[in-house]
């Protein structure tokens, strides 16, 4: 088997079919090859990778697999994965990828940004959200985060540059400590490193230049 093949990572047949049919990918990019096995192995991950490196599919495919396993082990309503994106535009792009991956596993995904309907979104399996809206939902008790098994912080450097450090700290405190956390960032600044130390447990580091 080609080590660059998605099948070499242990992804399920449903996810492999989605990657091939919906996204048209046959071999992994370096960030996918490095981070997918780590996330599937229940490791926290800090990945340095620029936009266009394939990171959304890397954390998306991994997260959906972990969510499906978490639901099988502990059935019940409520989100199992939360992905935080810095802007509405980036959240919308990420949601478009995750929605297809979720559909392949019979999971539901929602986009939670300013102006979007919230009532159904907070009960779906995977939630893609901007930090301000997610922080507000958790503070008001409008979203039950007790079953969240995976937290993804996408474009972490941008999240911090836009001033969301306090919101991210509250979000991480509100979610279960035993979750898996993946942090993806184009650059590894001091602020990103401090965020990783505060919210991740013995993370594996991935750097793709």
């Amino acid at each position: 088997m080609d080590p660059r093949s998605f099948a070499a990572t242990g992804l399920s047949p449903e996810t492999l079919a989605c990657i091939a049919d919906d996204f048209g990918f046959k071999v992994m990019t370096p960030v996918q090859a490095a981070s997918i096995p780590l996330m599937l192995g229940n490791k926290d991950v800090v990945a340095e990778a620029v936009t266009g490196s394939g990171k959304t599919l890397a954390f998306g495919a991994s997260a959906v697999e972990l969510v499906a396993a978490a639901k099988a082990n502990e059935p019940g309503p409520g989100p199992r994965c939360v992905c935080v994106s810095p802007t509405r535009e980036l959240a919308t792009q990420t949601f478009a990828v995750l929605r297809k991956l979720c559909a392949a596993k019979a999971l539901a995904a929602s986009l939670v940004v300013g102006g979007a309907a919230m009532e159904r979104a907070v009960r779906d399996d995977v939630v893609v959200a901007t930090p301000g809206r997610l922080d507000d939902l958790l503070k008001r008790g409008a979203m039950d985060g007790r079953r969240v098994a995976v937290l993804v912080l996408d474009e972490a450097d941008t999240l911090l540059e836009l001033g969301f450090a306090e919101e991210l700290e509250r979000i991480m405190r509100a979610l279960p400590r035993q979750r898996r956390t993946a942090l993806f960032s184009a650059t590894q600044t001091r602020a990103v490193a401090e965020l990783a130390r505060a919210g991740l447990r013995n993370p594996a580091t991935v750097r793709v230049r």
Side-chain angles (χ1 to χ4, degrees), residues 21-119:
D21 298 340
D22 292 342
F23 299 105
F25 294 127
K26 296 182 179 179
V27 296
M28 294 183 287
T29 65
V31 70
Q32 292 163 352
S35 59
I36 291 175
L38 290 170
M39 290 186 67
L40 293 182
N42 284 314
K43 290 285 292 181
D44 283 8
V45 174
V46 174
E48 181 178 351
V50 299
T51 300
S53 61
K55 60 184 177 60
T56 304
L57 189 58
F59 67 68
S62 305
V64 167
E65 294 286 345
L66 294 172
V67 167
K71 283 199 71 175
N73 291 332
E74 186 184 357
R80 307 305 177 100
C81 171
V82 174
C83 177
V84 184
S85 293
T87 66
R88 180 177 184 143
E89 292 74 22
L90 286 171
T92 301
Q93 294 170 18
T94 298
F95 174 68
V97 174
L98 286 175
R99 180 170 57 180
K100 292 180 179 180
L101 291 165
C102 283
K105 299 288 288 184
L107 301 172
S110 287
L111 176 65
V112 181
V113 295
M118 296 188 303
E119 182 60 28

Side-chain angles (χ1 to χ4, degrees), residues 142-199:
M143 174 178 142
D144 184 357
R146 291 176 296 176
R147 287 194 173 96
V148 171
V150 185
L151 170 65
V152 177
L153 303 176
D154 188 23
E155 303 282 358
D157 49 350
T158 303
L159 284 165
L160 294 170
E161 288 169 5
L162 293 176
F164 289 119
E166 291 185 2
E167 286 87 346
L168 294 177
E169 290 175 5
R170 285 195 295 267
I171 289 166
M172 291 189 296
R173 287 198 303 267
L175 299 180
R177 292 178 60 85
Q178 297 303 313
R179 68 178 187 270
R180 297 271 63 87
T181 304
L183 183 155
F184 285 76
S185 179
T187 58
Q188 288 296 321
T189 64
R190 179 179 297 179
V192 170
E194 291 175 354
L195 179 65
R197 282 195 296 271

